[in-house]
């Protein structure tokens, strides 16, 4: 016997959560595209397409205030942002490539400093993941150790079944609590056959071998061949579930202003520009090299995790057709050759 929920009851679950003042975010049609957006009702939820942008914006906004400052009568007053205002949130309908990314980012946002903006949002969120049944030739999650039915990062995991219902598997205490609170929407029954999972165009990569190759090829003609076409627009970084570079700026004037954290990207030409004028990554091949090194070597060196979920968004978004899966496959073949 399995725990099941019908599609009607899944939408009713969204309605119940919204009625209970929970922020519910899920895939929703916005014009001609699907985006992760707040859902006003269960009818807003769409499960037939990967959202154009990743779900990381829920935990790591494009731009956010981190403090305000005001000078008055010769005294400077600094005020923290009230993080208690962050709402209880349920992210629903996230495929494994999106559900798995926040747990990857936990490591860097709680490393030598606890980023309470990220971590408080994580504490107040529950992730309802769903097995992926519709991929395309840009998807490569299995190549980097995930799978269309991977439960990593989900609190509650749904598997679509033929006939329209979903098998429900609580993965964490948060997931079980969600089920317990809305028990009337779930039922015990015999699970039917699952809907076929999405196909993957790229075979599984030998990530340890790739890392070993990267260890010995900081300088390599491969980086120049990629840089010949990369325009440094950073679309790949902004759309990625795992990229997390940011900058901090003070905006306003000396007497009144706001300190803000906003997204940045290592692909930008000024990302590593020093105040002295020196730039250690002054040309594009060095910047793209850093992108690959960071995702498949540096992050693994430090945290034991791969900074990529294989969602394929960077491939779809790149204006000049750079395919990171092809690059990894090339490196994989070079690594196998020794």
């Amino acid at each position: 016997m399995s725990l099941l929920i019908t599609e009607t009851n899944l939408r009713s679950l969204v309605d119940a959560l919204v009625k209970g003042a929970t922020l519910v975010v899920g895939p929703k049609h916005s014009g001609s595209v699907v985006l992760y957006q707040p859902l006003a009702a269960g009818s807003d939820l769409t499960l037939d397409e990967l959202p154009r942008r990743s779900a990381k914006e829920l935990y790591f906004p494009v731009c956010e205030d981190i403090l305000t400052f005001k000078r008055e009568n010769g005294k400077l007053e600094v005020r923290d942002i009230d993080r208690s205002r962050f709402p209880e949130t349920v992210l629903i309908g996230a495929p494994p490539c999106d559900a798995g990314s926040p747990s990857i980012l936990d490591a860097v946002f709680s490393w030598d400093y606890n980023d309470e903006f990220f971590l408080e949002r994580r504490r107040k969120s529950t992730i309802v993941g769903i097995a992926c049944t519709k991929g395309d030739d840009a998807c490569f999650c299995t190549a980097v150790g995930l799978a269309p039915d991977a439960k990593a990062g989900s609190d509650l995991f749904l598997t679509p079944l033929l006939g329209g219902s979903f098998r429900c598997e609580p993965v964490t205490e948060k997931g079980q609590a969600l089920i317990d609170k809305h028990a009337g929407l779930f039922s015990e029954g015999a699970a039917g056959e699952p809907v076929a999972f999405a196909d993957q165009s790229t075979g599984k990569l030998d990530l340890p071998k790739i890392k070993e190759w990267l260890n010995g090829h900081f300088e390599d003609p491969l980086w120049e061949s990629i840089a010949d076409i990369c325009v440094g627009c950073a679309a790949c970084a902004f759309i990625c579930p795992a990229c997390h570079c940011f900058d901090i700026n003070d905006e306003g004037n000396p007497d009144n202003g706001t300190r803000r954290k906003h997204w940045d990207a290592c692909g930008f030409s000024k990302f590593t520009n020093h105040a002295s004028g020196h730039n250690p990554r002054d040309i594009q091949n060095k910047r793209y090299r850093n992108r690959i090194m960071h995702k498949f070597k540096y992050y693994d060196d430090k945290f034991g995790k791969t900074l990529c979920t294989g969602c394929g968004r960077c491939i779809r978004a790149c204006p000049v057709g750079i395919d990171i899966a092809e690059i990894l496959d090339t490196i994989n073949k070079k690594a196998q050759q020794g």
Side-chain angles (χ1 to χ4, degrees), residues 135-152:
D136 61 20
D137 58 5
C139 295
F140 64 103
C141 70
T142 53
V144 293
L146 286 175
D149 60 341
K151 301 174 182 64

Side-chain angles (χ1 to χ4, degrees), residues 42-255:
S43 57
D44 289 341
L45 179 66
T46 181
L47 299 173
D48 59 359
E49 188 177 333
L50 180 72
R52 176 74 62 87
R53 300 201 301 262
S54 77
K56 74 177 176 186
E57 297 176 37
L58 186 60
Y59 309 98
F60 176 40
V62 176
C63 182
E64 66 177 329
D65 297 349
I66 58 176
L67 62 81
T68 61
F69 57 89
K70 184 177 182 180
R71 189 187 304 276
E72 196 169 32
N73 299 323
K75 294 183 178 181
L76 181 65
E77 179 185 18
V78 178
R79 290 187 177 181
D80 288 330
I81 300 299
D82 180 14
R83 294 185 296 275
S84 66
R85 64 184 170 81
F86 296 164
E88 294 291 333
T89 303
V90 172
L91 171 62
I92 191 166
C97 59
D98 283 333
S101 67
S103 59
I104 295 173
L105 293 178
D106 284 342
V108 71
F109 283 110
S110 60
W111 166 46
D112 60 343
Y113 175 80
N114 287 333
D115 186 321
E116 289 298 333
F117 292 87
F118 178 89
L119 297 175
E120 182 67 9
R121 289 185 174 98
R122 287 282 284 134
R123 283 189 285 266
K124 289 187 171 181
S125 69
T126 300
I127 299 176
V128 180
I130 186 169
C132 182
T133 59
K134 292 184 179 180
D136 61 20
D137 58 5
C139 295
F140 64 103
C141 70
T142 53
V144 293
L146 286 175
D149 60 341
K151 301 174 182 64
S154 293
D155 297 301
L156 174 61
F157 192 75
L158 308 178
T159 302
L161 305 174
L162 295 174
S165 293
F166 302 85
R167 184 173 67 241
C168 309
E169 299 172 74
V171 182
T172 68
E173 291 180 359
K174 283 184 177 181
Q176 186 62 56
L178 184 65
I179 292 171
D180 293 343
K181 188 173 181 179
H182 303 277
L185 297 174
F186 299 85
S187 62
E188 294 279 349
E193 288 293 316
V195 176
F197 298 139
D199 289 331
Q200 301 287 297
S201 60
T202 304
K204 187 171 177 59
L205 300 171
D206 190 337
L207 295 178
K209 274 284 189 182
I210 288 176
K211 182 182 171 185
E212 182 181 333
W213 187 90
L214 293 173
N215 283 336
H217 292 81
F218 188 76
E219 300 291 348
D220 193 272
L222 175 66
W223 310 126
E224 294 181 13
S225 67
I226 300 167
D228 283 344
I229 58 172
C230 179
V231 296
C233 67
C236 54
F238 285 0
I239 211 164
C240 172
C243 282
H244 54 268
C245 292
F246 63 88
D247 198 3
I248 294 176
N249 293 103
D250 289 343
E251 299 181 12
N253 59 60
D255 294 322

